[in-house]
Amino acid sequence: MTKSIRKALGKRNQTLDDVVISRVIVQEYTRELLEYLESDVAIVGGGPAGMVAAYRLARAGKKVVLFERRLSLGGGMWGGGMMFNKCVFQESSKPILDELGVRVAKVHEGYYVTDSIETVSVLCASAVKAGARVFNCMSVEDLMVRGGRVTGVVLNWSPVMAAQLHVDPLSARAGVVVDATGHAAEIARIVVRKIGKKLRTRTGDLLGEEPMWAEAGEKAIVEHTKEIYPSLYVAGMAANAVFGGPRMGPIFGGMLLSGQKVARLIEAIA
Ligand code: 48F
């Protein structure tokens, strides 16, 4: 118990004081937010790709922070396909599910299915238990760029952005930033909007997502997972939006493999 909490409890003879509860929340949250204003890796987006990247990098000993706009992590995984909450995986991604302990049923040669609620919950718990710090309800609205390199992210509360309140953001420094924002590829778009067509694509611009094709999309996504601007990496569906690849619909193996690949690339640089 900290001094300030002891003081707030004072001599009152009660075990649960409402203000102490509030104090604990504000104190602990603020302490951790301050701690994570500097990190090795800042991941933007807590979908399947972002969660696997966070898990692997935290387990490798990196100081990892993940910013997620919504209340809950999981991105497009909760709803499976058209809200039928099942996720399909192919053979190559099964080892990741096995490692994390997600229960998988084989339904056909090369086709596996999981419960999407279990899958999201296990991925999220794995990332957090490995040591990644998640800040939910926070949106990345801009980037810190110094000397032609991304050096951090600019944050605001998601409700502030949703209400379009005129409130200035705060900044968090990171050695590397990962755009795992899904179809919108929001962080890559910030580069193009604010710095120009400087992405490592054919045109320097985002090449855009192509129509749905599971097999081609799943292959492309792993290949497209890479550094797209100095110290900015892309993973998950954002990779196909940046480099021009099909969407793949409700098959999620490529997202896990992309998260795993981006973690390996980042581990290799330091
Ligand atoms: O969309 P999302 O699940 O991305 P993903 O990991 O996986 C894609 C699949 O879910 C699915 C698919 C599979 O076939 O195509 O769509 O690539 O998760 C992206 C997360 O990023 C958050 C968003 O709320 C979602 O949870 N996000 C997006 N923009 C921001 C953000 C932002 N600017 N700041 C913080 N979080």
Side-chain angles (χ1 to χ4, degrees):
M1 197 187 292
T2 64
K3 229 181 185 173
S4 55
I5 291 172
R6 254 198 311 272
K7 197 175 158 203
L9 269 173
K11 290 194 174 37
R12 270 166 286 153
N13 190 18
Q14 60 186 66
T15 46
L16 280 180
D17 181 276
D18 299 82
V19 177
V20 171
I21 293 168
S22 303
R23 190 177 284 272
V24 168
I25 290 171
V26 173
Q27 191 169 285
E28 288 305 295
Y29 188 91
T30 310
R31 184 180 60 73
E32 291 189 9
L33 182 58
L34 285 170
E35 185 183 337
Y36 283 91
L37 289 183
E38 313 260 357
S39 67
D40 296 326
V41 187
I43 297 170
V44 190
M51 290 192 289
V52 169
Y55 163 71
R56 285 255 181 267
L57 285 161
R59 221 187 44 159
K62 301 283 181 201
K63 185 176 178 185
V64 180
V65 62
L66 188 153
F67 299 106
E68 166 55 50
R69 164 175 294 157
R70 295 176 184 274
L71 260 177
S72 57
L73 270 67
M77 235 184 183
W78 295 104
M82 218 178 91
M83 297 204 311
F84 292 23
N85 61 2
K86 295 286 172 192
C87 294
V88 174
F89 293 90
Q90 63 277 57
E91 193 78 48
S92 54
S93 56
K94 188 172 173 289
I96 303 176
L97 298 167
D98 289 342
E99 177 186 333
L100 298 180
V102 178
R103 289 173 301 167
V104 182
K106 184 172 182 173
V107 282
H108 191 64
E109 206 49 49
Y111 291 81
Y112 296 87
V113 70
T114 67
D115 175 82
S116 75
I117 311 302
E118 176 179 346
T119 315
V120 171
S121 308
V122 171
L123 291 182
C124 180
S126 301
V128 172
K129 284 183 170 178
R133 178 59 170 99
V134 175
F135 291 94
N136 57 343
C137 294
M138 254 192 224
S139 293
V140 170
E141 62 160 62
D142 201 356
L143 287 170
M144 290 168 67
V145 180
R146 307 283 185 272
R149 194 174 84 76
V150 169
T151 58
V153 292
V154 177
L155 304 163
N156 217 329
W157 298 116
S158 302
V160 164
M161 297 184 75
Q164 300 187 325
L165 301 179
H166 190 166
V167 177
D168 271 321
L170 297 174
S171 303
R173 200 184 329 275
V176 165
V177 173
V178 179
D179 181 347
T181 61
H183 294 265
E186 289 194 20
I187 310 308
R189 278 182 210 284
I190 292 172
V191 171
V192 173
R193 195 169 69 241
K194 299 215 161 177
I195 310 173
K197 295 178 181 173
K198 299 276 170 98
L199 299 176
R200 292 178 183 161
T201 62
R202 192 166 25 83
T203 60
D205 202 350
L206 283 92
L207 300 182
E209 181 184 300
E210 296 170 6
M212 190 144 134
W213 181 5
E215 187 167 352
E218 288 285 277
K219 268 191 199 135
I221 205 152
V222 179
E223 192 193 323
H224 291 159
T225 299
K226 51 181 123 169
E227 192 175 27
I228 53 172
Y229 184 81
S231 301
L232 175 64
Y233 288 73
V234 69
M237 194 57 221
N240 275 4
V242 168
F243 286 101
R247 64 185 301 197
M248 64 291 295
I251 179 156
F252 290 89
M255 301 302 147
L256 308 190
L257 294 167
S258 171
Q260 177 166 271
K261 180 178 173 189
V262 83
R264 284 193 180 139
L265 292 174
I266 292 168
E267 274 179 60
I269 56 171

